[in-house]
Amino acid sequence: MTDATEQERREAEALRRLLEDGGDASAADGAATGAAPGAVPDGALEAAALLNWATDRDSRPAGRHAALRAELLATADRAPAQGWGRWLLPAGAFGAAVAAVVLSLTAGPGAKQAPLPEPDHALLVAQARAIESRALDLHAEELAALDDAMRSYRATVLTTLAERYGEAE
Amino acid sequence: MNARRVQIALVGALVLALAAGCDFPPKADWVERAAEAHRIADEALARGDHDGARDALAAFVDAPRPLGMQPDDCRTVVQDACFRLATIELSADRARESLAWAERGLVAGRGDDVVTANLLIARGRAREALGREREAAVDYYVALEINEKLLSRALGGER
């Protein structure tokens, strides 16, 4: 094995100082270390930074961790407060509550569909006459007759519905 | 107080406001109110009080409707009240008001039944009174189609 050249020794010294000083570029330019400028080989800065980050994390100042943590928490607190996105959760909860109330009110035995009573002949004939008499007189008696014919049918329908929903409730 | 607490308080207030502000009547009570409105209207018309009849029925139509009722059942009750209102207004020479009630009833929906046909007849009358004969003819035509279906069903049931 041959002895190292002067150039190789300068590069090794520069790398050693880089690793000791945490990858600081000012240490690598030789001004503070006494190493000659340009002594650091290509890629040495990146390699030193990676090595320091991977092997020396625990020795970093605790104050810097605390500062980073505080900054992250402050960012996390500010982020949801911007824009309408912060209302999505309460709005969704409110919508779900309304849907639940509506579903609970619409479900149940009252939701069964049953046909209403059929109209009798007299009502249908009165209806047909009301249509046919239209051109004779705008206030034709047939319209009043239709209204009269509706009374018994209306009473039947309303009684049917009151019984249907009264039983369901 | 942080933003989360404000949001929770707002949601709670909205739910309470919804519960307090929406006074949905029970279904059977609402149907009985319809019968009562028609009874009051009958009495008012018997003594020639068109306004009294209209007010009783209009108050019923304007009142909140129950949730959970079958749509056709609800439509039938509302359309019948609107038909009567349209007829009352027409008999008092208020064609525009009659047309408005007929339109309002038809907005509630349509069916091949007596109440929809009645409303179409009432709207046709109101349109005719307002000089809109062509539109009135369409209403009568559709009402006649429904009436024929109902008659056919009724006669078919007897055979």
Side-chain angles (χ1 to χ4, degrees):
Chain A
M1 189 173 182
T2 59
D3 293 338
T5 64
E6 185 63 22
Q7 175 68 21
E8 287 169 342
R9 280 199 297 275
R10 280 202 302 272
E11 288 179 359
E13 177 62 15
L15 270 175
R16 185 186 66 77
R17 289 185 180 281
L18 270 175
L19 290 171
E20 283 176 359
D21 294 333
D24 186 0
S26 64
D29 65 5
T33 63
V40 181
D42 291 341
L45 272 176
E46 291 84 350
L50 277 171
L51 281 169
N52 273 313
W53 185 83
T55 60
D56 207 25
R57 279 187 293 188
D58 295 337
S59 66
R60 285 175 192 161
R64 185 164 182 202
H65 283 284
L68 276 171
R69 186 171 181 276
E71 187 179 344
L72 282 170
L73 287 176
T75 306
D77 278 345
R78 278 197 308 270
Q82 294 169 354
W84 54 270
R86 63 178 167 160
W87 296 104
L88 277 179
L89 182 61
F94 180 67
V98 171
V101 169
V102 170
L103 283 175
S104 68
L105 289 171
T106 54
K112 288 182 180 174
Q113 176 70 61
L116 288 171
E118 291 288 339
D120 60 16
H121 290 174
L123 171 56
L124 295 175
V125 169
Q127 194 175 59
R129 283 183 178 159
I131 299 169
E132 290 168 358
S133 67
R134 65 191 183 279
L136 302 176
D137 182 0
L138 288 179
H139 304 146
E141 291 178 358
E142 280 76 6
L143 197 57
L146 174 59
D147 194 29
D148 285 342
M150 275 297 293
R151 289 186 188 200
S152 62
Y153 180 66
R154 177 180 299 128
T156 305
V157 167
L158 292 177
T159 302
T160 302
L161 291 177
E163 287 173 357
R164 179 183 300 172
Y165 290 107
E167 288 169 4
E169 288 169 356
Chain B
M1 185 183 291
N2 62 27
R4 175 68 63 191
R5 286 181 182 169
V6 171
Q7 288 169 355
I8 291 170
L10 280 175
V11 170
L14 281 170
V15 170
L16 287 175
L18 182 72
C22 300
D23 184 20
F24 299 115
K27 297 180 268 293
D29 285 0
W30 183 73
V31 173
E32 284 169 8
R33 281 181 213 172
E36 178 67 6
H38 282 289
R39 189 187 61 74
I40 294 171
D42 287 341
E43 291 175 358
L45 288 173
R47 59 176 186 268
D49 180 9
H50 286 75
D51 289 346
R54 181 197 57 209
D55 292 347
L57 290 166
F60 169 72
V61 173
D62 289 338
R65 294 168 196 171
L67 288 175
M69 206 166 168
Q70 281 299 315
D72 275 348
D73 293 347
C74 189
R75 175 182 61 78
T76 298
V77 175
V78 170
Q79 286 195 331
D80 185 38
C82 286
F83 163 69
R84 272 202 103 180
L85 281 160
T87 306
I88 289 167
E89 297 287 25
L90 200 61
S91 65
D93 289 329
R94 293 193 288 245
R96 288 191 187 284
E97 289 79 0
S98 175
L99 179 61
W101 281 116
E103 299 273 16
R104 185 165 171 184
L106 288 168
V107 163
R110 297 197 182 202
D112 285 343
D113 50 31
V114 169
V115 287
T116 296
N118 282 350
L119 268 180
L120 288 166
I121 294 168
R123 188 170 73 174
R125 292 298 174 106
R127 282 175 162 174
E128 237 182 319
L130 294 168
R132 296 159 61 176
E133 285 85 1
R134 188 177 179 81
E135 293 168 275
V138 175
D139 284 338
Y140 294 139
Y141 178 77
V142 179
L144 194 58
E145 280 189 329
I146 296 173
N147 180 259
E148 284 177 353
K149 283 181 192 172
L150 293 171
L151 273 172
S152 174
R153 196 188 306 162
L155 293 171
E158 281 187 352
R159 282 200 294 262

